[in-house]
C-alpha cells in the first residue's frame, strides 16, 4: 500500500467559518465536491497553502461539534483498512464504505478514539 497524501480533515456544521479562517491563514481552495450518497449529504473543500500544506474541510449537518480527522489517500483501500483493523481500528460509519463517482472511503476509528478517513481515488 502506498500513501499518496496525508493531511488534516475538519468536519463541521459551519464549514464556511473554518474555510474563511484558513483563507486568512493563506490557504486557497483547490478543489470542491458536493455529494449525496448513502444518505450522506456533504460538501468538501480541499485547500492548499503556498508551502504545499493541505487541509480539507467538509460541511456536515450530522455533527453537534466539529471533528478533526486525519485524511489518508492510498492506492489500495482494502489493504489500508486491513492494516488499521490489525491495529484495533473499527469502521466508524456503521460498517459502511462511502462511494462516489470519484472515490471510495472508509472512516476508521482507533481504540483510543482518533480517526482516519482512508480514501482511494477512482481514476477515469
Amino acid at each position: 500500500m502506498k500513501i499518496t497524501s496525508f493531511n488534516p480533515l475538519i468536519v463541521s456544521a459551519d464549514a464556511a467559518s473554518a474555510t474563511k479562517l484558513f483563507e486568512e491563514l493563506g490557504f486557497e481552495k483547490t478543489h470542491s465536491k458536493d455529494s449525496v450518497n448513502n444518505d450522506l449529504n456533504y460538501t468538501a473543500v480541499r485547500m492548499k497553502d503556498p508551502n504545499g500544506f493541505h487541509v480539507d474541510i467538509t460541511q456536515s449537518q450530522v455533527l453537534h461539534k466539529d471533528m478533526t480527522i486525519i485524511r489518508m489517500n492510498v492506492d489500495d483501500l482494502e489493504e489500508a483498512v486491513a492494516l488499521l483493523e490489525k491495529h484495533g481500528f473499527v469502521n466508524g460509519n456503521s460498517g459502511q464504505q462511502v462511494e462516489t463517482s470519484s472515490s471510495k472511503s472508509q472512516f476508521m476509528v482507533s481504540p483510543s478514539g482518533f480517526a482516519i478517513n482512508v480514501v482511494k481515488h477512482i481514476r477515469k
Side-chain angles (χ1 to χ4, degrees), residues 87-105:
H87 289 274
F89 281 73
V90 296
N91 185 309
N93 190 25
S94 302
Q96 294 187 27
Q97 197 175 79
V98 175
E99 292 191 41
T100 69
S101 61
S102 62
S103 66
K104 294 190 308 183
S105 64

Side-chain angles (χ1 to χ4, degrees), residues 16-67:
S17 292
T19 301
K20 183 174 191 255
L21 167 66
F22 281 92
E23 287 173 333
E24 290 177 16
L25 289 169
F27 285 77
E28 294 181 0
K29 294 178 190 175
T30 60
H31 179 74
S32 64
K33 177 178 174 179
D34 294 321
S35 183
V36 178
N37 197 323
N38 294 347
D39 299 324
L40 186 64
N41 183 2
Y42 69 91
T43 299
V45 174
R46 184 153 179 84
M47 303 181 81
K48 183 178 179 180
D49 83 344
N51 298 308
F53 294 109
H54 288 91
V55 64
D56 295 333
I57 302 171
T58 298
Q59 174 79 29
S60 174
Q61 299 304 324
V62 177
L63 300 177
H64 300 292
K65 64 179 185 173
D66 291 357
M67 287 181 67

Side-chain angles (χ1 to χ4, degrees), residues 3-8 46 53-54 70-73 114 116:
I3 296 173
T4 57
S5 69
F6 194 89
N7 59 271
R46 184 153 179 84
F53 294 109
H54 288 91
I70 297 168
R71 173 182 167 154
M72 182 171 74
N73 287 7
F114 76 89
I116 298 177

